[in-house]
Amino acid sequence: MGFLGNIIRGILNFTYVILSSCCACVFFMFPPLVMIRPFSKTLYYKINNKVAGSWFRYLIFQTQVVNQTTVKLHGSEQLKPNESVILMMNHPSEIDWLYSWVLANRVGSTSCIKVILKDQIKYVPGIGWGCDNLDFVYLTRHWEFDEQHIQYKMELYTETHTKPWLVIFPEGTDFDKDKQLKSWAFSEKNGHPKFNNVLLPRHKGLHACIEPLRTHQNLDAIYDITIGYESKPTIFTCMIGTNPTVNIDIKRIPISEVPKEEDALQKWIYNLYDKKDKLLQQFKDNGNQFPSPYIIPKVGLDVYFFSILWYTFMIMAFYLMSQHTLLLYYFIAVVLFFISSSRFKSLREFRGLQLPQHTKKQ
């Protein structure tokens, strides 16, 4: 497919992702929000997680089938079903989170994914609203608020009997040379280690995630996930279908082996990232290949089934809206509600998306 064809393909893919996520929020997540959540948060989140899990399988379909991205899993036997875990990932690109669904789907945990995200994502139509409905964790980079907000979300997972697969990027942002230089400067100034293939990890956010879950016995393990690419992908290359091969190294760390004290956790994560840095150097020196054996996971029938289901639903939804004005008005009204929810703190507080003290200072 030529350059123009790739551009058209990218536009179509992006449009479908936005529209399908909007429809998921409007037709499948909004009704439980008003009819079920006031009476049962647990049932509400169970429904939303199932809806999201089916849509996440479309992302797997898009990645592995449509884009034909080769995913190599090193240590996949360490993935365990029915666990509450934190996926601690390095951050070499802006699409690393995408592969958390591939990992989760290996053990039937696709519906359990939760991600810690930048606050700006909540404004993205469809995707941001869905992340809100699933209680993903938006961070403002104001620690006095973020710390309490993280704890609030972790306690909410326990309260609603959710066993999360929580994705966290301790580096805080994706890796590039400019950020590496800033990371080195910070490390030199503060006496921290310097790494060549990762940025200095931040331990406070990880600690804030671990302890509320550990306290309520809702955390079984941390997965130390290391991602290596042949070339750095972007959202653009993802949409036009030119993703490179992705290599994912998986190590399971039982929560009993993770320090409880914050200072000890800082040393622990620095040591872990030192090993991760060396592993990535091996990856580069070995021709973009981790040293351990790997498997290339097959795409399951569930991925095909739910992808076809979502394509069919999208066609039906927009056809019905074109034929029934009331349905179209409903769609517009709910879209306006979600836009308002992303922008007005009073509505976010009313919905329980954040507590008043979590609101970012103006």
Side-chain angles (χ1 to χ4, degrees):
M1 186 178 290
F3 178 76
L4 181 59
N6 282 335
I7 294 297
I8 294 173
R9 175 180 176 174
I11 292 172
L12 291 175
N13 283 338
F14 180 77
T15 301
Y16 178 80
V17 167
I18 295 297
L19 291 180
S20 62
S21 59
C22 286
C23 285
C25 292
V26 169
F27 294 112
F28 292 111
M29 291 183 167
F30 181 75
L33 174 64
V34 296
M35 293 188 290
I36 295 177
R37 193 182 189 281
F39 309 103
S40 175
K41 287 183 182 179
T42 300
L43 180 58
Y44 165 73
Y45 285 112
K46 186 174 292 187
I47 292 171
N48 273 357
N49 289 341
K50 293 297 183 184
V51 171
S54 69
W55 190 80
F56 293 155
R57 286 175 174 87
Y58 159 72
L59 295 181
I60 298 173
F61 177 82
Q62 181 67 34
T63 301
Q64 293 186 261
V65 179
V66 178
N67 291 355
Q68 296 184 327
T69 299
T70 300
V71 180
K72 297 179 179 179
L73 300 183
H74 302 252
S76 64
E77 69 281 355
Q78 299 201 43
L79 298 171
K80 307 294 182 184
N82 302 316
E83 282 197 322
S84 175
V85 301
I86 291 176
L87 280 75
M88 189 174 64
M89 306 174 75
N90 66 313
H91 208 353
S93 81
E94 58 192 16
I95 65 164
D96 305 317
W97 47 268
L98 183 63
Y99 300 104
S100 63
W101 283 284
V102 176
L103 297 177
N105 202 51
R106 288 281 299 169
V107 290
S109 298
T110 318
S111 299
C112 303
I113 288 286
K114 308 292 179 185
V115 186
I116 294 183
L117 301 165
K118 294 179 181 178
D119 191 59
Q120 295 88 338
I121 301 295
K122 71 186 180 189
Y123 301 116
V124 179
I127 295 172
W129 313 337
C131 292
D132 258 342
N133 290 329
L134 295 167
D135 270 297
F136 283 23
V137 185
Y138 288 123
L139 297 185
T140 64
R141 295 189 184 275
H142 289 68
W143 180 241
E144 59 186 298
F145 302 106
D146 289 342
E147 181 180 22
Q148 295 181 51
H149 187 58
I150 290 171
Q151 292 173 351
Y152 168 60
K153 294 289 186 178
M154 299 305 109
E155 290 169 2
L156 184 63
Y157 298 157
T158 300
E159 178 189 346
T160 56
H161 307 288
T162 300
K163 295 176 74 69
W165 270 51
L166 181 65
V167 179
I168 182 171
F169 299 98
E171 293 164 79
T173 187
D174 57 304
F175 181 93
D176 64 32
K177 287 298 180 183
D178 289 338
K179 294 168 186 173
Q180 182 186 43
L181 292 175
K182 291 178 181 178
S183 179
W184 282 354
F186 179 84
S187 293
E188 287 181 357
K189 181 179 178 180
N190 294 278
H192 298 312
K194 294 194 297 183
F195 303 115
N196 294 315
N197 302 291
V198 292
L199 305 178
L200 184 73
R202 305 172 185 182
H203 69 284
K204 288 188 175 181
L206 180 63
H207 185 263
C209 292
I210 290 174
E211 290 314 309
L213 293 174
R214 186 186 340 228
T215 299
H216 295 289
Q217 298 183 335
N218 193 25
L219 184 59
D220 299 299
I222 289 180
Y223 286 136
D224 175 23
I225 307 297
T226 305
I227 301 179
Y229 299 105
E230 293 178 353
S231 59
K232 183 175 180 175
T234 64
I235 291 177
F236 177 73
T237 61
C238 179
M239 288 297 171
I240 67 174
T242 57
N243 282 4
T245 297
V246 55
N247 294 262
I248 305 175
D249 182 81
I250 306 158
K251 293 182 176 66
R252 182 184 182 277
I253 305 170
I255 193 59
S256 59
E257 297 179 10
V258 180
K260 293 183 179 181
E261 298 299 324
E262 188 173 331
D263 289 344
L265 184 71
Q266 182 182 37
K267 295 178 182 177
W268 178 83
I269 195 173
Y270 284 174
N271 181 59
L272 205 68
Y273 265 68
D274 180 61
K275 295 177 181 177
K276 193 184 291 284
D277 186 53
K278 291 174 180 175
L279 179 62
L280 286 167
Q281 191 59 51
Q282 280 185 291
F283 175 81
K284 291 180 179 179
D285 296 341
N286 196 35
N288 295 325
Q289 183 74 45
F290 288 126
S292 58
Y294 66 85
I295 64 165
I296 299 176
K298 295 181 180 179
V299 178
L301 291 177
D302 60 320
V303 172
Y304 287 97
F305 172 77
F306 283 111
S307 298
I308 293 170
L309 205 63
W310 275 105
Y311 280 119
T312 304
F313 167 73
M314 284 287 294
I315 294 170
M316 291 179 59
F318 280 94
Y319 172 75
L320 290 173
M321 282 191 286
S322 71
Q323 299 297 311
H324 300 280
T325 306
L326 282 178
L327 188 61
L328 178 61
Y329 287 163
Y330 164 80
F331 181 85
I332 294 171
V334 177
V335 164
L336 292 174
F337 168 79
F338 282 128
I339 291 174
S340 300
S341 290
S342 68
R343 296 186 176 276
F344 298 112
K345 70 176 185 179
S346 57
L347 186 52
R348 296 185 66 77
E349 292 165 6
F350 176 76
R351 289 186 56 194
L353 299 174
Q354 62 186 46
L355 297 178
Q357 62 265 37
H358 299 154
T359 306
K360 183 178 177 179
K361 285 184 177 180
Q362 301 298 319

